[in-house]
Amino acid sequence: MPKTSILSKAIAAAFVVLTVSVIGGIITMIILYKTEISTMNPTPRPTRPIATTALPPVMRLPKNLIPLSYKVFLMPHLYTRIIEEVNVTSPNQTMDFVGNSTVSFQCVERTSTIYLKSMKLAVTNGKVKNDNTNEMIEVSAMKTHRDDTNFLEIQLKEALEAGGNYSLSLSFKGEISENLDGMYVSKYVEGVPEYEGDTNTERFLVATQLEPADARKVFPCFDEPDMKAEFHVTIIHRRDTTALGNAEKSGSSILDDEWKFTSFHSTPKMSTYLFAFTVSEFTATRSEHERVEINTYARPEAIAAGHAQYAATITGKILSFYESYFEINYDQKKLDQIALPDLAATAMENWGLVTYHEGALLYEEGVSSILNKEQIATTIAHELAHQWFGNLVTMKWWNDVWLNEGFATYMSFFAVDHVEPTFQLKELNILANLHTAFQMDALASSHPLSPPQEEVQKTSSIIQMFNSITYCKGAAVLRMLADVVGERVFIEGVKTYLSDFSYKNTDQNDLWRSIQKAEDKNGGHTNVKRFMDPWTKQIGYPVITINTTNGEVYQKHFLFNDSAESSLWWYVPIKVMSNTTKPSLVWLESSAPEKKDEFQSKNGEWILANINCTGYYRVNYNPENWDRLLNQLEIDPHRFPPMNRGQLIDNAFFMARAKLVEVTLALNSTRFLRQELDFLPWQLTVKNLEYFVLMFDRSEVYGPMQAYFREQIKGLYNSLRNYTDNSTIPKDHASQHSQILAVEVACSNELPECLEMATKMFAEWMNSNNTNPIHPNLRSVIYCQAVAAGGKKEWDFAWERYQSSSDTSEKEQLRVALSCTKKTWLLNRYLEYTLDPDKIRLMDVGSIISDIAWNPAGHALAWNFIRAHWDYVSEQDGDMLINAVTSRFSTQFELDELERFKTQYTLGPAANEVDQAIEKTQVNIQWVRENKDEILEWFERETAE
Ligand SMILES: *[C@@H]1O[C@H](CO)[C@@H](O)[C@H](O)[C@H]1NC(C)=O
Ligand SMILES: *[C@@H]1O[C@H](CO)[C@@H](O)[C@H](O)[C@H]1NC(C)=O
Ligand SMILES: *[C@@H]1O[C@H](CO)[C@@H](O)[C@H](O)[C@H]1NC(C)=O
Ligand SMILES: *[C@@H]1O[C@H](CO)[C@@H](O)[C@H](O)[C@H]1NC(C)=O
Ligand SMILES: *[C@@H]1O[C@H](CO)[C@@H](O)[C@H](O)[C@H]1NC(C)=O
Ligand SMILES: [Zn+2]
């Protein structure tokens, strides 16, 4: 799953930059992590202690029973539409569902108690049969544990014997969730209302979101990833609706006037979290594929308008790419994708029925921007990679979920590059991914990629695993390994891994062994496990310090907060080159300083390490070499690979934050941008400036800083002005990115010609009847800047459009733009709207509050609002909100408030984020104190005429 936001849940999937939106002068990158996790998972409430039967602290199912297959009947009572007819009382909507299940399992250890997982279900009618003898075994007691274990405990009159096959059948009842978790309801409007208040246009559908631990809310089951089984599913649904499941339909029959049965073939052997079904009135667009029937489902209006066309075009190609890349065919006859109006994640990889947030799947020519298109390609590539990594081969337990997410993220780089080579997204995605991982992993409160199982037991801890470490660091360390053993050997090892462990579960040692096998076979000498374990089992990453005067090099754990002592070290592969030598690989194999020829500058020439940024570490140099590198950047930046140009800036800024280099060195590294027309270096600069903006946009530094960047961006802005002023776009993708970025940087730093252009375009739209003159690529930035520069009139216009637009990407752009206003009362009113589900969809609440928090004018409002409504907002996106609202914290007063917040509120899954926020705030306070004067001086000097 990827999470969160442009799409309201910006994917935080940390994995990839989905899109860029300007908020009050900063560019927020949307990343994909948590894409797949339901962030709406209600925090498990503390339960009243049970006086007599205190439970042992065991969360996990015993492994004495091994499930083989399930037969599941599910009957959601929901109507997809409520028809009002004259003189006929219309039915009331009903949220109940009923069902039954029969699970066949093998007993491997004698027991007279069966444990399953079940949550929010009323379970009755337990029957156990010995499948070998067909005899019934009497159930003496059945109870659901109302605590974090979610155990359904079934006591039997006689014991089940090891080696025996049994089956357990149960009936159950539950309620369709309105919180986007488990089996949930999603709403949308279809058609044109006939009169005011016409509710005939409202439609409902049932969908599921079960990762990581919500299958137990749909039917009682062995709800753990390594308890794989086959599922035979029958959905009983309203006659005029369509049911989809993981596997292809095996039959359907009309039951009576109201009900219909749809049965599905057996699924492959799979984990419970991948179970999915939907009941809706959706229609589909078909994709090309030689063997698999691929359909992309969406609202009938969206399908009729061709919005699923783009997704349909690339899906077959991506699937074929993976099939030949892994040499393993996708293991089902069909693959459905469905665009849901409500989904807590950006997308979810359910085997054979992948669910997407609408914005991550639907593309409207002439309305959606290039960034939407890229996000769609990236998200589909990520989810389809999961059909192998995650679905076919699954981690044993959630502590190793990086094996799913790291691989899906890593593989998506290649798949997108294959289907859309002109996007040139690979390098961009890789760098964005690295930057995101580096950010979180530079904190002492980070966590290892693969923590011990014991630390990831409760559902709330499992949910916390879906973060940028898992997605981004996971992909980054895989890329590093692939570079060391060579991509060919790596993929050979990966193929073995996939075929050896199909339908099974793994931990990371299984992966190391498979790659070792390929490495040995090809005559390589890397000890894969020895090399990789420190990267996955320890937090953080090193900074490599090179002294080119004498060739000395050493490593040290990189932490923003240098007062945190650490003695961690890694096996570090370093690709290094100089002005006169080709890249070569050198290993650093201890924490002690070493002298190496390759790092010594012979004739005063520069030395550059970590070529193409394949290593998951940062590099620092002696001041002389920094000067030479920055000098080279100013004379001829193209001497360095573009990724390294971007990363030099990134390194300099991070190093300055950690006080390893002077902050002025970082600022000096942006000088060459005045001539830089390439996207990557600018992109990295903008990302790094985010921090400067956050620290200083409420201080006197901001004026001179804006003045400096106004000058720096002029060159790029003017080079594209002919396009921009006419609301057209350059041909190639890279220049389109540059154009969007140029407008964002120019406008947010108040370049007059940019502000004028934005205001004028927006006014043209307001005055035109419905035709929007703004090019889709530029809409999000222009909307935001125009709302920021405008007042009530612009805001109300945007709000009215937001309410009436049925186009997802348009809606999202407007939703973000509404948070850009500088008028406090408008921001306040917007915050209040988030409490009203008729105005703001639940899934957008977290994003809106975050967006407001990113705006300097809304920051304090959002912080107050979150505390005032914590119970409500923490149910949505507590962790993401904490991150957004505390990102500017840099005073003692703010730190005190945060610490009070920590002790006075029930934090749930956001607890981790709060700890990280406290650490970050401490770092910020110190950093601002130590650097502010120098920075102010630097900007003033640079901008003095
Ligand atoms: C509805 O009921 C009223 C009174 O009971 C009757 O006059 C009217 O014809 C009915 N309309 C329809 C469409 O059946
Ligand atoms: C719908 O619900 C209302 C109030 O709960 C009840 O009075 C009415 O009879 C219900 N209608 C139907 C058709 O069940
Ligand atoms: C489950 O429900 C279906 C549909 O109502 C029914 O046909 C079937 O017999 C039930 N199975 C069990 C084991 O109760
Ligand atoms: C880099 O090498 C080229 C020749 O290969 C030379 O002309 C140039 O001066 C060198 N630059 C530096 C900074 O050493
Ligand atoms: C680099 O090495 C030289 C020669 O040993 C030494 O004089 C210099 O101080 C070192 N520079 C740094 C930054 O450690
Ligand atoms: Zn994923």
Side-chain angles (χ1 to χ4, degrees), residues 7 132 136 164 202-203 250 254 260 363 365 399 459 497 533 681 850 883:
L7 294 193
N132 303 116
M136 301 305 292
E202 200 168 24
R203 302 284 182 270
S250 60
I254 305 289
K260 187 174 167 183
Y363 180 81
E365 205 64 58
N399 63 317
T459 301
Y497 171 76
D533 270 355
S850 302
N883 182 24

Side-chain angles (χ1 to χ4, degrees), residues 545-552 554 595 621-624:
T545 306
I546 297 172
N547 184 345
T548 60
T549 309
N550 59 6
E552 195 169 278
Y554 66 91
K595 278 199 183 177
Y621 305 95
N622 50 319
E624 295 81 9

Side-chain angles (χ1 to χ4, degrees), residues 116 151 193 224 274 301 387 441 451 491 528 580 638 796 819 831 904:
L116 275 78
F151 281 145
E224 294 191 358
L274 294 169
E301 279 179 356
Q387 307 303 310
D441 214 12
I491 195 69
V528 175
T580 49
H638 299 277
D796 285 346
S819 69
L831 278 172
Q904 293 172 358

Side-chain angles (χ1 to χ4, degrees), residues 189 299 301-302 305-308 357-359 362-369 372 376 772 776 779 783 801-815 844:
V189 169
R299 290 178 281 110
E301 279 179 356
H307 298 176
H357 190 301
E358 282 193 348
L362 302 183
Y363 180 81
E364 186 175 349
E365 205 64 58
V367 174
S368 310
S369 98
N372 295 118
I376 292 168
N772 187 338
R779 283 182 192 168
Y783 292 175
R801 287 292 157 142
Y802 172 70
Q803 296 268 284
S804 61
S805 172
S806 61
D807 178 79
T808 321
S809 53
E810 173 92 353
K811 251 185 138 73
E812 254 148 24
Q813 291 162 350
L814 288 164
R815 195 199 67 227
D844 292 332

Side-chain angles (χ1 to χ4, degrees), residues 544-593:
I544 311 303
T545 306
I546 297 172
N547 184 345
T548 60
T549 309
N550 59 6
E552 195 169 278
V553 51
Y554 66 91
Q555 58 169 304
K556 189 170 180 298
H557 186 181
F558 182 87
L559 289 164
F560 281 141
N561 190 349
D562 68 352
S563 60
E565 275 303 313
S566 163
S567 56
L568 301 184
W569 61 275
W570 293 260
Y571 291 97
V572 190
I574 308 177
K575 275 232 174 92
V576 56
M577 69 186 240
S578 77
N579 187 27
T580 49
T581 56
K582 291 221 164 68
S584 61
L585 179 68
V586 179
W587 283 90
L588 214 53
E589 304 192 290
S590 76
S591 58

Side-chain angles (χ1 to χ4, degrees), residues 318-523:
I318 294 176
L319 197 71
S320 300
F321 169 77
Y322 286 137
E323 292 191 321
S324 62
Y325 202 53
F326 306 142
E327 291 175 7
I328 297 179
N329 279 347
Y330 168 74
D331 180 48
Q332 292 215 53
K333 292 206 184 69
K334 69 102 182 180
L335 171 63
D336 291 327
Q337 313 193 86
I338 184 165
L340 297 170
D342 302 274
L343 178 64
T346 304
M348 174 65 211
E349 71 263 22
N350 316 298
W351 206 339
L353 177 52
V354 185
T355 51
Y356 296 83
H357 190 301
E358 282 193 348
L361 199 62
L362 302 183
Y363 180 81
E364 186 175 349
E365 205 64 58
V367 174
S368 310
S369 98
I370 159 192
L371 300 176
N372 295 118
K373 201 173 207 174
E374 291 172 359
Q375 190 198 348
I376 292 168
T378 305
T379 309
I380 294 176
H382 179 99
E383 302 310 324
L384 295 197
H386 274 312
Q387 307 303 310
W388 287 264
F389 295 99
N391 300 7
L392 185 63
V393 179
T394 316
M395 69 278 151
K396 284 187 176 141
W397 185 247
W398 299 104
N399 63 317
D400 268 333
V401 69
W402 81 272
L403 291 173
N404 280 9
E405 300 305 345
F407 262 116
T409 302
Y410 176 76
M411 289 302 166
S412 72
F413 301 152
F414 297 88
V416 173
D417 209 40
H418 175 80
V419 294
E420 294 288 11
T422 63
F423 285 12
Q424 295 174 284
L425 266 186
K426 195 164 159 194
E427 295 188 338
L428 180 61
N429 279 345
I430 289 171
L431 271 191
N433 180 73
L434 262 179
H435 175 88
T436 308
F438 278 157
Q439 186 102 6
M440 180 167 173
D441 214 12
L443 295 169
S445 53
S446 179
H447 69 80
L449 202 45
S450 175
Q453 277 203 19
E454 309 81 77
E455 288 172 19
V456 188
Q457 292 291 309
K458 287 193 181 186
T459 301
S460 56
S461 320
I462 295 170
I463 290 173
Q464 283 176 21
M465 290 298 293
F466 291 82
N467 59 27
S468 47
I469 294 293
T470 297
Y471 285 79
C472 302
K473 183 179 183 176
V477 302
L478 288 172
R479 182 164 172 264
M480 178 164 66
L481 174 57
D483 187 63
V484 165
V485 299
E487 227 162 79
R488 200 176 45 80
V489 173
F490 180 76
I491 195 69
E492 186 181 323
V494 162
K495 280 181 207 163
T496 318
Y497 171 76
L498 286 175
S499 64
D500 284 359
F501 296 100
S502 290
Y503 312 105
K504 296 192 184 120
N505 295 77
T506 57
D507 57 29
Q508 58 172 18
N509 289 324
D510 297 313
L511 177 64
W512 305 154
R513 272 191 290 271
S514 301
I515 293 181
Q516 189 70 58
K517 225 187 276 176
E519 173 74 348
D520 295 347
K521 202 175 119 207
N522 287 277

